[in-house]
Amino acid sequence: MSTTQSERLRELLEPLVSAEELDLEEIEVARAGRRQVLRVIVDSEQGVELDTCAELSRAISEKLDETDVMGEGEYVLEVSSPGADRPLTEHRHYVRATGRLARLQLTGGDELVARILAVDDEGLDLEVPGVKGRKPTSRRVSFDEIAKARVEIEFNRKDKKEEEA
């Protein structure tokens, strides 16, 4: 996608996304055979419901029909949330992942899997799970130490209500 097309799409879609009280996370235009696929990824503090994606998709489709930003060819529009195992690239992503388990690739080459306890402007307070019956440990990681980060999906995590019972 050309920078010009990307900028035009962002200018066009940002007000529609903001009107739904969502963040525009990503816009991607890719080829799928003879068609283009426009993927619009949105998120919010509370997550994104399917109905909201459907409403936003209709609004975006109407807006795109009024312009030539997608060109003359056919395209497919996909509006969705980033998914459960999304990469963490922005400060707000880490804030939204507070309480979740994350896999961090550190700039020194080490990998760390830990629960995000708190986020501030400088970095993260983490709880590193104990190994072989040992207690979890606390660790502080600054943002400049993180090369890549991604939320880990937990299938067997008890929620706080279960733990308190």
Side-chain angles (χ1 to χ4, degrees):
M1 171 169 62
S2 72
T3 304
T4 310
Q5 184 184 31
S6 175
E7 290 169 356
R8 288 182 63 203
L9 280 167
R10 188 162 286 280
E11 284 176 21
L12 193 69
L13 303 183
E14 188 79 54
L16 298 173
V17 173
S18 294
E20 295 290 333
E21 298 180 1
L22 299 171
D23 295 318
L24 180 57
E25 295 290 347
E26 186 178 343
I27 298 172
E28 177 188 352
V29 177
R31 276 254 168 248
R34 296 179 4 204
R35 292 186 189 143
Q36 294 184 82
V37 177
L38 171 59
R39 288 186 187 91
V40 179
I41 308 298
V42 296
D43 202 3
S44 78
E45 295 294 326
Q46 298 77 31
V48 182
E49 293 186 5
L50 188 57
D51 289 344
T52 305
C53 283
E55 290 170 21
L56 184 57
S57 180
R58 283 189 288 277
I60 290 173
S61 182
E62 288 174 15
K63 193 65 145 177
L64 290 173
D65 288 347
E66 297 170 5
T67 71
D68 66 345
V69 71
M70 289 303 294
E72 296 296 317
E74 293 180 25
Y75 67 92
V76 175
L77 173 62
E78 296 177 3
V79 177
S80 67
S81 67
D85 64 342
R86 63 129 13 106
L88 305 173
T89 57
E90 303 283 336
H91 185 272
R92 68 178 178 265
H93 298 163
Y94 290 97
V95 171
R96 290 178 186 156
T98 300
R100 307 271 316 265
L101 202 60
R103 180 174 302 274
L104 308 171
Q105 297 283 331
L106 303 179
T107 54
D110 291 338
E111 184 174 90
L112 176 65
V113 177
R115 188 163 314 283
I116 300 172
L117 299 177
V119 180
D120 59 33
D121 291 340
E122 286 80 43
L124 312 172
D125 290 327
L126 304 171
E127 179 183 76
V128 181
V131 180
K132 295 183 181 177
R134 294 186 182 155
K135 292 186 178 186
T137 57
S138 296
R139 179 160 177 191
R140 174 79 181 171
V141 176
S142 64
F143 286 119
D144 61 359
E145 294 178 77
I146 302 171
K148 291 182 353 184
R150 179 177 296 278
V151 170
E152 286 283 289
I153 298 174
E154 296 178 87
F155 292 106
N156 60 351
R157 180 177 181 209
K158 295 178 185 174
D159 69 14
K160 293 188 187 282
K161 290 178 185 173
E162 287 180 42
E163 289 175 3
E164 292 170 1

